[in-house]
Amino acid sequence: MRPIQMVDLKQQYQKIKAEVDAAVLSVLESSAFINGPQVQAFARALATYNNSQYVIPCANGTDALQIAMMALNLQPGDEVITPSFTYIATTEVIALLKLTPVFVDVQPDTFCIDPEAIRKAITPKTKAIVPVHLYGQAANMEEIMQIAIAHNLYVIEDNAQAIGCDYFFTDGRVKKTGTIGTVSGTSFFPSKNLGAYGDGGAMMTDDEALALKLQMVANHGQSKRYYHDMVGCNSRLDTIQAAVLEVKLKYLDEYIAKRRAAADYYDAAFAAHPKLKTPARAAYCNHVFHQYTLIVEGIDRDALNTYLAQHNIPSMIYYPVPAHRQKMFASFNTAGAGLPVTDWLTERVISLPIHTELEEAQLDFITSKVLEFASK
Ligand SMILES: *Cc1c(COP(=O)(O)O)cnc(C)c1O
């Protein structure tokens, strides 16, 4: 049995090495390191895959969210409703732009933002909602869009963990996450479901005027060369990364299927155990399992983490401190206001290895060790 890793990028690379190496070499030979043709070729391929009008590449997923908020012209003091139960990037860019993050709770089954909590948090200052499709499962976008339309709010989807996830609307429409709201941001961090071999990110929208603005903000606010209409930033997807991503996009559906198969294996192994709650799968979407996250009850979660590590099984706590309890947000401290579900989950979640290269022997070993601990 190979050593078990949270994400096995080495093994995955070996399977596509010839294609990736050729793509990278062609960039080196052309020397078009900045904005080479691969960048737009990848953006077009991703737009086709997602059935989205505009894909604007950028340097990373954090920038994607920041640029989206800048392009929407959100102003200091505007309130942005966001879950606290997420990676820090989602909430950090809100504060960076001097907007006001309004942390709300998540649903205990999907781990995603609770539409009811959004409704309660809306004030006259609310300008946007940032749903996070956490661990690869969509937030309840149908309800979120209804709320947004009723209150005239922007929806900025944080799709960093859920690229490729299908969302099923009650009227039969199917859309990819990241193409439902006003705009979305995604990340190509190597461990993400569509990972580059370095940093990368993209924004997506169907709104032409917004697409032009996103492009401008990402490129020094430039309308034509050396003419800068607004304050922007410098956020580009590297050509080498675009070349890698163009190759890997062809395998995304296969990668998702492998992640789902590993999740199925875990689900079957843990289903009957009273102390292990397997991740719920919302009927409205097709979970792409960026993470496989258990909720453990009546078990010392941190001791399980240590026990697995002793058997060379990595496991992670995503995330050990929710945003509303980070020092960064001390001045926005809503910890007292209470996000009971977020706090409850933070104490109980544990993520097991999930990636495209897990073998049955590894899954068998992981599940047997988890069950052994849980049954002690
Ligand atoms: C990874 C991630 C980001 C940020 O992406 P980077 O490319 O690392 O900047 C944002 N939000 C979520 C939920 C993420 O998982």
Side-chain angles (χ1 to χ4, degrees):
M1 191 175 72
R2 280 200 314 272
I4 298 170
Q5 294 173 341
M6 280 307 279
V7 184
D8 194 339
L9 296 176
K10 235 182 198 170
Q11 203 68 21
Q12 191 192 57
Y13 167 59
Q14 288 307 320
K15 294 185 180 161
I16 53 170
K17 181 173 165 28
E19 266 182 287
V20 170
D21 290 3
V24 170
L25 271 176
S26 82
V27 178
L28 300 186
E29 273 153 16
S30 74
S31 297
F33 300 118
I34 302 294
N35 286 331
Q38 290 86 347
V39 176
Q40 279 317 309
F42 166 65
R44 279 193 302 273
L46 185 57
T48 302
Y49 174 86
N50 268 329
N51 198 15
S52 163
Q53 289 297 312
Y54 305 98
V55 170
I56 299 96
C58 65
N60 57 67
T62 309
D63 277 9
L65 296 168
Q66 181 188 326
I67 294 165
M69 290 174 202
M70 290 170 77
L72 290 170
N73 206 23
L74 298 182
Q75 295 298 316
D78 286 352
E79 293 179 0
V80 179
I81 297 176
T82 170
S84 168
F85 195 71
T86 179
Y87 180 55
I88 198 66
T90 318
T91 55
E92 182 184 31
V93 295
I94 299 171
L96 183 72
L97 295 174
K98 306 254 184 286
L99 316 174
T100 304
V102 176
F103 301 114
V104 302
D105 229 339
V106 289
Q107 295 179 309
D109 50 352
T110 63
F111 306 104
C112 291
I113 195 165
D114 181 352
E116 206 38 57
I118 295 175
R119 280 194 191 92
K120 288 189 186 132
I122 291 172
T123 76
K125 286 187 176 170
T126 307
K127 288 284 152 48
I129 307 167
V130 185
V132 181
H133 306 313
L134 200 71
Y135 303 151
Q137 174 152 255
N140 187 334
M141 289 304 291
E142 186 146 3
E143 257 191 89
I144 292 167
M145 293 311 292
Q146 282 164 3
I147 297 169
I149 290 164
H151 296 270
N152 199 22
L153 306 175
Y154 297 124
V155 175
I156 304 160
E157 297 176 71
D158 183 341
N159 197 32
Q161 299 191 0
I163 196 159
C165 175
D166 286 315
Y167 194 96
F168 310 111
F169 288 85
T170 45
D171 66 3
R173 282 177 306 146
V174 182
K175 283 186 161 196
K176 294 283 186 198
T177 54
T179 70
I180 302 166
T182 319
V183 57
S184 72
T186 197
S187 165
F188 307 120
F189 187 83
S191 64
K192 299 282 156 82
N193 286 19
L194 178 59
Y197 291 166
D199 276 306
M203 295 149 293
M204 238 167 260
T205 185
D206 285 341
D207 178 332
E208 186 180 3
L210 181 58
L212 287 170
K213 200 113 178 261
L214 292 164
Q215 182 70 61
M216 243 169 94
V217 174
N219 187 24
H220 300 292
Q222 177 170 284
S223 54
K224 65 179 187 187
R225 200 163 201 193
Y226 303 127
Y227 290 79
H228 305 275
D229 297 359
M230 59 189 292
V231 174
C233 55
N234 174 25
S235 187
R236 294 186 281 248
L237 178 64
D238 183 89
T239 311
I240 291 175
Q241 299 309 331
V244 171
L245 288 164
E246 217 185 327
V247 172
K248 288 188 72 180
L249 179 59
K250 292 186 282 182
Y251 297 95
L252 180 57
D253 284 340
E254 184 186 321
Y255 290 162
I256 290 170
K258 286 182 173 169
R259 287 174 175 275
R260 287 176 58 89
D264 289 345
Y265 191 101
Y266 282 138
D267 275 2
F270 302 140
H273 202 286
K275 295 178 182 172
L276 305 171
K277 188 168 174 285
T278 58
R281 300 193 193 192
Y284 59 63
C285 75
N286 195 28
H287 201 319
V288 295
F289 286 100
H290 177 58
Q291 299 298 343
Y292 183 88
T293 305
L294 288 171
I295 301 172
V296 301
E297 274 204 277
I299 294 177
D300 182 338
R301 189 265 317 264
D302 297 331
L304 170 60
N305 179 254
T306 306
Y307 180 78
L308 293 175
Q310 283 162 354
H311 291 91
N312 299 315
I313 300 169
S315 63
M316 295 288 286
I317 311 306
Y318 298 121
Y319 296 90
V321 182
H324 74 291
R325 293 190 182 279
Q326 296 284 356
K327 280 188 194 154
M328 177 195 280
F329 290 120
S331 60
F332 300 94
N333 208 335
T334 48
L339 297 177
V341 179
T342 296
D343 287 335
W344 187 86
L345 286 173
T346 298
E347 298 297 313
R348 288 168 182 81
V349 288
I350 184 163
S351 299
L352 300 179
I354 192 153
H355 53 76
T356 58
E357 312 303 317
L358 278 167
E359 295 167 345
E360 192 150 335
Q362 294 176 312
L363 287 164
D364 183 57
F365 184 67
I366 298 164
T367 51
S368 71
K369 289 296 162 197
V370 171
L371 288 167
E372 198 174 288
F373 186 87
S375 305
K376 272 207 267 196

